[in-house]
Amino acid sequence: MLIVYQLEAYLPPAARKWVNEKLRSFRALLIENGILASSHDASAESPALEAARNALKAAEDDLSSHKRSLEDSNSDLTKDYGTSDIFRALKDKCVEKDSGEYTYELCWLGSTKQKSKKGGAHTLMGSFVSFDTTTVDDETPVDGKGLGSGERVVLKYENGQHCWNGPNRSTMIVLACSESEEIWKITEEEKCVYRMEVGTSAVCGMEAGKPVGGDKGASEGTKDEL
Ligand code: MAN
């Protein structure tokens, strides 16, 4: 067998050169077509293998981003948006109001924040956890911007930034019917326990969180806890 490998040595010089050149150009052709790695380094990858590896990586990235968006959609579907999904329309929307040295922000079914007018970091006053109801008995102001009296829908925001020598901040949002979304009043009931009185069209025509004179919301069965 050895003789086969040494065949080249038995060839006349001109033929040996010809064979060598043919081999070199064949190798170049393989490299050009991505079949053979260009380096003599055994660990080097051929362009074809590299392209396949890149395609796999891109497909895997694509798959994880689709998985993430599927998880987001699933958790959105299981999230409680209230009777008849009424708060879904307000999702990702926020309202603000200046009060004292702060601007207060309420993001619907998101979080509440206190922003100092002097700048600096914002203080998280809680994140939405659940719906509730409360009974109020206020005089309705002439401009209609108040809670009035009766049972009102409450949004509970909890687990905000820890208060020095106090609890984690929390906010109780008491809602009443209004043409547009607006914070009417903000109070700090006790240290780091906040209350916002807020107007929204989302609760118009509701009593104790249920649609007045209809059982549409309740008949849907799954989200009738309001
Ligand atoms: C900040 C604000 C106040 C709060 C105090 C408690 O100044 O969040 O609302 O009462 O901290 O230390």
Side-chain angles (χ1 to χ4, degrees):
M1 284 303 279
L2 201 63
I3 196 151
V4 179
Y5 295 113
Q6 288 175 349
L7 183 67
E8 228 185 289
Y10 293 90
L11 293 171
R16 199 184 303 162
K17 191 163 169 266
W18 183 84
V19 167
N20 261 326
E21 266 162 21
K22 287 286 159 211
L23 280 174
R24 207 171 302 130
S25 65
F26 182 54
R27 191 175 177 326
L29 187 72
L30 290 180
I31 291 171
E32 216 169 276
N33 288 292
I35 297 164
L36 205 63
S38 61
S39 161
H40 291 285
D41 179 356
S43 67
E45 291 184 343
S46 72
L49 179 57
E50 202 183 321
R53 205 180 292 283
N54 289 341
L56 173 66
K57 172 87 173 55
E60 280 171 350
D61 288 352
D62 223 31
L63 178 65
S64 4
S65 115
H66 280 100
K67 273 187 182 161
R68 266 195 307 277
S69 111
L70 178 65
E71 276 165 22
D72 289 352
S73 301
N74 272 333
S75 84
D76 187 61
L77 280 173
T78 54
K79 187 166 171 167
D80 188 0
Y81 284 104
T83 305
S84 312
D85 254 13
I86 204 94
F87 287 96
R88 189 179 282 279
L90 294 174
K91 181 177 175 269
D92 300 327
K93 289 190 181 153
C94 304
V95 271
E96 280 193 348
K97 184 180 174 62
D98 277 8
S99 181
E101 49 182 306
Y102 300 102
T103 298
Y104 289 85
E105 182 187 74
L106 157 67
C107 291
W108 297 100
L109 309 195
S111 63
T112 43
K113 281 182 195 138
Q114 196 179 40
K115 307 175 183 177
S116 170
K117 289 180 188 164
K118 293 182 208 130
H122 300 166
T123 302
L124 181 69
M125 296 158 62
S127 298
F128 173 73
V129 284
S130 58
F131 294 95
D132 200 358
T133 55
T134 190
T135 306
V136 292
D137 191 10
D138 292 353
E139 289 274 315
T140 307
V142 272
D143 61 6
K145 297 183 174 186
L147 297 180
S149 69
E151 198 155 15
R152 298 287 174 260
V153 177
V154 167
L155 307 179
K156 285 162 75 179
Y157 284 56
E158 286 168 11
N159 302 314
Q161 204 167 307
H162 186 72
C163 184
W164 186 74
N165 258 345
N168 288 337
R169 286 174 175 78
S170 63
T171 317
M172 176 182 184
I173 316 280
V174 190
L175 302 174
C177 170
S178 162
E179 230 173 77
S180 55
E181 279 54 56
E182 54 182 335
I183 302 174
W184 289 323
K185 192 174 165 191
I186 300 142
T187 45
E188 193 168 344
E189 304 280 282
E190 37 186 292
K191 199 166 157 191
C192 298
V193 178
Y194 307 88
R195 175 185 158 104
M196 289 186 189
E197 296 182 6
V198 180
T200 171
S201 55
V203 294
C204 295
M206 289 221 195
E207 229 164 61
K210 298 233 183 337
V212 180
D215 58 357
K216 189 182 170 292
S219 69
E220 281 174 2
T222 51
K223 291 181 179 170
D224 59 351
E225 68 268 35
L226 272 188

